[in-house]
Amino acid sequence: MVKNPYKPYPVKIDEIIVETDDRNLRTFHFKFLNPEDEAAFQYLPGQFAEISVPGQGEIPIGIASSPTEKGYLKFTVNKAGKVTTYLHNMKPGDIIGVRGPLGNWYPWDKLEGSNVVIIGGGFAFTTLRSSIVYMLDPANRPKFGNITVIYGARNPGLLLYKEELFDWERRDDIVMHITVDATNDPNWKYNVGFVPAITKEKAPSSENAYAIVCGPPIMIKFTLPVLRELGFAPDRIITSLEMRMKCGIGMCGRCNIGTEYVCKDGPVFTFEQLSHLPNEY
Ligand SMILES: Cc1cc2nc3c(=O)[nH]c(=O)nc-3n(C[C@H](O)[C@H](O)[C@H](O)COP(=O)(O)OP(=O)(O)OC[C@H]3O[C@@H](n4cnc5c(N)ncnc54)[C@H](O)[C@@H]3O)c2cc1C
Ligand code: FES
């Protein structure tokens, strides 16, 4: 029987991790109630899902786990409005729904065999985390060249996935440049500076490389010219868009930019693709 694309899979909240000092970002681990649903939920880093909170509504959220992590899905959610606030107040053991996986993914066929530069700011790091975990998996690591990560937040308390960041920092098969806009912490041993400035300072090579850039619009605006100066062509700079969505499957027309539906043709686009679309994102 063909699956109804509007029907979510039932999942149980298994774990909730408070990520940031302001407590506005929480990571949720969801376990599928039915093993056959988990087997059907095949995704790649860059995709999102609709999280369905009974009686409240559905929200699109990027998948923060990697398909190499089995047994659960991970989403990091900012407390923004009605549904996210309700979700933040839920407890382990509560049942909700997940519909997906939805949208396209980072172009893994092209990224294989290339150097990959990941640039993230603030809480848009979720699908970038998925990508890093995916590339660092022992079965996948040989498929990629150098992996360089530049990730910044306003202050150390707002960085996501801190333990993992500091673990990656100690590895020799990934180059990490963690940064904060400012800090009073005398023990802070990483960078201080905005993401575009740190990108310029560290100057990752564009040789056989792709850059994936996700973050607040202001960060992207100032990082793009730095990447162009470093020699990254627009078709080698990739981003992910967050438009308002409803159906998530290209049916309702809520999320379109020109001819493209962000939920179906995106959310991942290159800047070369975006240059042909109206500037409505
Ligand atoms: C592809 C994609 C990936 C995303 N990934 C994440 C993520 O990993 N973590 C995270 O915290 N947020 C993410 N967002 C943003 C998240 O969807 C919104 O913050 C959330 O929908 C707000 O819901 P709300 O009910 O709490 O807020 P309200 O402001 O009360 O929103 C009411 C309704 O409007 C819609 N809506 C509001 N803001 C957005 C928005 N920015 N994007 C899409 N629909 C919206 C939703 O249908 C929502 O239920 C993502 C959005 C998209 C499109
Ligand atoms: S959200 Fe319905 S078409 Fe994209």
Side-chain angles (χ1 to χ4, degrees):
M1 204 173 69
V2 178
K3 185 184 176 287
N4 176 351
Y6 293 101
K7 198 172 162 201
Y9 297 120
V11 295
K12 183 178 80 176
I13 301 178
D14 190 50
E15 195 185 348
I16 304 174
I17 301 156
V18 178
E19 292 281 352
T20 52
D21 288 356
D22 64 6
R23 305 182 70 78
N24 279 340
L25 278 136
R26 286 175 196 225
T27 294
F28 295 83
H29 286 199
F30 297 145
K31 284 204 161 156
F32 288 92
L33 295 192
N34 305 312
E36 60 274 21
D37 295 346
E38 181 173 3
F41 196 99
Q42 296 289 329
Y43 66 100
L44 280 170
Q47 291 195 275
F48 68 101
E50 287 282 346
I51 296 188
S52 172
V53 182
Q56 303 300 314
E58 271 197 325
I59 49 169
I61 300 287
I63 306 173
S65 49
S66 155
T68 54
E69 298 172 295
K70 302 292 180 202
Y72 63 93
L73 292 175
K74 182 173 177 131
F75 296 89
T76 301
V77 180
N78 181 41
K79 190 156 91 173
K82 182 176 166 236
V83 180
T84 51
T85 302
Y86 192 92
L87 185 61
H88 268 235
N89 290 328
M90 294 184 87
K91 301 276 175 290
D94 288 345
I95 308 289
I96 61 161
V98 169
R99 187 160 67 81
L102 302 172
N104 65 353
W105 44 85
Y106 298 122
W108 295 106
D109 51 339
K110 292 186 180 142
L111 295 172
E112 281 190 15
S114 303
N115 299 318
V116 182
V117 179
I118 301 257
I119 302 179
F123 67 85
F125 196 61
T126 57
T127 58
L128 299 182
R129 182 227 172 246
S130 168
S131 305
I132 295 167
V133 173
Y134 178 74
M135 289 189 286
L136 289 180
D137 185 82
N140 291 334
R141 184 65 191 88
K143 298 179 195 163
F144 301 93
N146 299 330
I147 303 173
T148 307
V149 177
I150 299 167
Y151 172 45
R154 287 206 305 280
N155 61 59
L158 294 181
L159 287 166
L160 297 181
Y161 319 125
K162 291 181 202 47
E163 275 179 34
E164 270 176 329
L165 292 180
F166 303 138
D167 282 350
W168 295 335
E169 169 74 38
R170 286 188 286 273
R171 291 175 68 130
D172 58 10
D173 58 353
I174 179 167
V175 176
M176 296 292 297
H177 301 297
I178 304 167
T179 187
V180 292
D181 298 352
T183 178
N184 301 323
D185 179 355
N187 297 320
W188 177 251
K189 46 182 199 247
Y190 306 101
N191 299 282
V192 177
F194 294 114
V195 166
I198 299 296
T199 308
K200 191 171 181 140
E201 184 187 316
K202 305 297 177 187
S205 168
S206 57
E207 179 90 36
N208 186 30
Y210 282 87
I212 309 180
V213 191
C214 294
I218 186 86
M219 183 207 97
I220 294 191
K221 180 175 171 208
F222 287 105
T223 303
L224 272 182
V226 177
L227 288 172
R228 297 288 288 121
E229 240 172 70
L230 290 169
F232 286 86
D235 65 339
R236 285 181 166 254
I237 308 176
I238 300 155
T239 194
S240 181
L241 297 183
E242 284 194 8
M243 296 294 284
R244 291 204 165 229
M245 291 182 182
K246 192 104 191 129
C247 70
I249 53 171
M251 299 301 284
C252 72
R254 177 89 188 262
C255 67
N256 77 300
I257 305 177
T259 54
E260 304 291 293
Y261 289 120
V262 173
C263 67
K264 186 168 67 72
D265 305 314
V268 173
F269 294 94
T270 65
F271 278 91
E272 150 69 16
Q273 288 173 308
L274 292 181
S275 69
H276 301 295
L277 297 177
N279 192 5
E280 293 164 355
Y281 45 88

